[in-house]
Amino acid sequence: MWEIEDIKEACNRIERNTVYGAFECCQQFFSSIMSNEDILRLRGLSEKRCLTWDALYEAWIAAFFDRIPSADENTLAKILGTRTKKEALAIEYFDESNSLPLYHELENRSFREILPYINTHYKLSLKRLKEKYEYNPRFEETVTSAFKAKMKKLEKKRSATPPDSEILRQTLQEDIFAKIRSWAALIEYVTLLVPNDTGSIHDTDDLYDALMALQNLRHREKNKFPVSRITTCSLCWRVVDLFMAKKKNSARCHVHLYEKVAGTPARKKAYERALKITSRLRLAHSSRSRLLAALIRFFPYEEKLIQVRLNLWNWWEHEPPQSICPATGTQDFPDEFWLALPHVAEFLRQQACPLDSINAIVETMMPLDSGADAQTVADYNQWIAAWTKDIRYFLPVFAHAETWLAIYKELYPSLPVDM
């Protein structure tokens, strides 16, 4: 029988490791408790890079079918259970399963460990970089200056020089993108990459999705308590009074109330329809993320739009409105913007909302229940004012609503949207 210290060490290592690292460093310990059949199965999954926390957790629980676990063994079970829950949340985020192995490679790694992993398996795409920065004179000037400096160094060495394209890639990798110190910068960097191996099953979209899932999980743990009286409806994108709900994750707007509350009629049919949409929405995280990335390109790029770029859909619940930096330029919507949001545009037109009025758009998309108390109304008005100052911070709501309305149209083509 293993000593208590060994179990505690196993707990410590599992908490600090990826699923592959946890199994590798604790394999001998697991062998003393799990069946040989389970160990061989888990080892096979690990060698194929298909091991999951769910498989590890189930094998641990199965090992105690004929005896009661000790307190420390229960602690380890809770740790495995927590990692399994996080894994399940990450799976909900992915459209396809290819991102899960990447999630397992990167989970629990520090920021300094993630970047070298990415640089080992991915490289800069000059085509993607040109598409993203061709209208950014300052960036082009910086790259040109660094490129000329590197050319001079190579000329002094008087050795065979690589092609200009390779020198440019080295310049970007070593001089422009060498000092990435934030998640925001890392996400921007990833959008410019392609796999080193053309036959790799892990393309850049898989990497992007894995990083988004990790960042969203970290954001959930960091921001557990909202700073505002308003939250997001658990069944759509609209706002709802947080204190009208028994639990934050079950808050429902006036459109999707199941029960009759304070004179408000029950909306059982709307609730049931929204429930089906929410079930489908769990499988559309990645497409929603890509839509948001497309919408951001219609507006000036600024480093301060961290939450928007990281796709933290409800970040505004945990940030004060004063954290928004107003847009410095115009906030006009080009025709192409609404072409990217056909269902939202139709939804707004049905309510006679002008597509050139930011204030009207925000209030139509995020209506507050008329029964809200004074404090909730005050919080709501603060956010309306903040979003109106800079509509870019409202883009996650647009992306969420477009995805939701598209699913509604698919499921209920003959029914108008519940309002």
Side-chain angles (χ1 to χ4, degrees), residues 237-238 277 280-281 287 291 295 335-353 355 361 364-365 397-419:
W237 70 88
R238 299 174 180 88
I277 294 169
R280 289 276 298 275
L281 199 62
S287 57
L291 173 58
L295 295 178
D335 292 339
E336 293 80 8
F337 179 82
W338 294 115
L339 290 176
L341 297 167
H343 297 91
V344 168
E346 181 183 359
F347 175 80
L348 293 171
R349 291 191 190 102
Q350 287 173 351
Q351 299 183 73
C353 176
L355 299 184
I361 289 169
T364 302
M365 293 290 295
V397 180
F398 277 131
H400 190 173
E402 176 64 26
T403 310
W404 194 98
L405 290 166
I407 297 172
Y408 187 97
K409 187 77 172 180
E410 182 183 343
L411 294 177
Y412 310 105
S414 60
L415 288 178
V417 179
D418 299 303
M419 296 182 189

Side-chain angles (χ1 to χ4, degrees), residues 225-284:
F225 304 102
V227 298
S228 173
R229 287 286 296 267
I230 57 174
T231 185
T232 307
C233 175
S234 61
L235 297 178
C236 71
W237 70 88
R238 299 174 180 88
V239 295
V240 59
D241 186 346
L242 177 61
F243 290 86
M244 291 287 286
K246 294 179 181 178
K247 295 181 180 179
K248 177 180 176 296
N249 58 6
S250 65
R252 293 191 291 274
C253 65
H254 65 282
V255 178
H256 297 123
L257 283 176
Y258 185 82
E259 309 89 355
K260 184 177 181 181
V261 179
T264 303
R267 305 292 298 274
K268 294 183 180 180
K269 292 294 183 183
Y271 168 86
E272 290 168 357
R273 284 190 285 268
L275 209 58
K276 290 183 180 180
I277 294 169
T278 301
S279 179
R280 289 276 298 275
L281 199 62
R282 293 193 183 99
L283 305 176

